[in-house]
Amino acid sequence: MAHHLRTSRVIKLLILCLLATVVVVIVLAIQPVIQETSCQCTTNRNTHTGFESGKGHQLAIIVPFRDRFEQLQEFVPHIHQFLNAQKIRHVIYVINQVDKYRFNRGSLINIGFLQSREESDYIAMHDVDLLPMNPDLSYSFPRNGPFHVAAPNLHPKYHYDDFVGGILLVANDHFQMLNGMSNKFWGWGREDDEFYRRIIDAKLTVTRPTGITTGENGTFKHVHDEKIISRDMIQTVEQKKNAKRDRKTGLDTMNYTVVSKNNLHIEGAECIVVNVHLHCDTKSTPWCELPYSVKRE
């Protein structure tokens, strides 16, 4: 009799356990799946075995972007193959400005850094219309300070000594220390010159490629056609007055909205397109808008 009671209790316990398991499965099945609905992104991007990732480094290519899709179609597969040849682990971020304001390259680079810093430890501030052609141009981790790939003696257009535009590699720690780039430069140009002042003030040294013999005509392909894509060259009086060293804006004053994030594949190469809406304080930088309410020179 006692044996029968023990067997009955065991059966009841097994039934209760089975019922509990069924309840748990049903509860988990009806729970909502929480996801970032604006991002259709994968995480396995260009992470090749044996690449410089083995040394703990990953490069984030940051491309400030607006209305240059034909150039992007050429850029993404080219830079992907170029970095693969150097065994550089990398991810490509295209930061696309979709608001009504004038183009702000500095702010877009800041956003690219903020978007990529959790998975990469250095960035390349990279123009979409500048393609490296010489395989000896290194994109390795810039441990000794910012490394200016598009050096003045190699860039096809800009040759002044303080130039740091086009392609600049910066370690995340250094970019954070510099508080990123100024957010005050709406329209084309000068944000790189201000960033150079930040580098000098922080007592960092800009280094550049050596031993490159292809010169300004053979080192890069510059795919910008002024007749097709014009640059916003307008400078207001107030804008020129504010072109000096900016000690007020940077990473810690960014004001923007990510509208969406999506993966884009071009000829087998992958990039992440981040559509962003910048916010402008028209009292401090009224030149962010067109037409201007301020005096033009």
Side-chain angles (χ1 to χ4, degrees), residues 59 61 82-83 86 88 105 122-126 130 132 134-154 163-172 174-175 178 192 195-196 199 204-212 219-220:
L59 169 64
I61 300 287
F82 189 89
L83 295 174
Q86 292 190 17
I88 302 291
R105 183 175 180 271
Y122 69 116
I123 65 171
M125 301 153 51
H126 212 302
L130 195 63
N134 189 320
D136 293 328
L137 290 169
S138 175
Y139 279 68
S140 295
F141 182 74
R143 64 182 69 256
N144 297 320
F147 183 73
H148 189 208
V149 179
N153 65 314
L154 301 175
F163 175 63
V164 291
I167 310 167
L168 183 68
L169 308 183
V170 187
N172 280 14
H174 288 157
F175 196 78
L178 298 171
D192 290 320
F195 189 67
Y196 178 76
I199 294 171
L204 293 174
T205 301
V206 176
T207 58
R208 295 184 167 103
T210 58
I212 304 295
T219 306
F220 299 96

Side-chain angles (χ1 to χ4, degrees), residues 104-160:
N104 191 320
R105 183 175 180 271
S107 289
L108 297 180
I109 290 172
N110 285 343
I111 294 171
F113 171 78
L114 294 172
Q115 290 287 312
S116 66
R117 62 181 174 178
E118 296 300 323
E119 61 179 334
S120 302
D121 62 340
Y122 69 116
I123 65 171
M125 301 153 51
H126 212 302
D127 288 351
V128 72
D129 60 2
L130 195 63
L131 307 180
M133 304 305 293
N134 189 320
D136 293 328
L137 290 169
S138 175
Y139 279 68
S140 295
F141 182 74
R143 64 182 69 256
N144 297 320
F147 183 73
H148 189 208
V149 179
N153 65 314
L154 301 175
H155 194 281
K157 189 170 184 180
Y158 302 108
H159 311 299
Y160 58 95

Side-chain angles (χ1 to χ4, degrees), residues 45 89 95 115 149 188 220 245-246 261 264 271 278 291 297:
R45 294 183 295 273
R89 187 183 182 195
I95 313 301
Q115 290 287 312
V149 179
W188 184 84
F220 299 96
R245 174 72 163 89
D246 174 15
K261 291 171 64 176
L264 177 66
C271 64
L278 301 181
E297 188 172 66

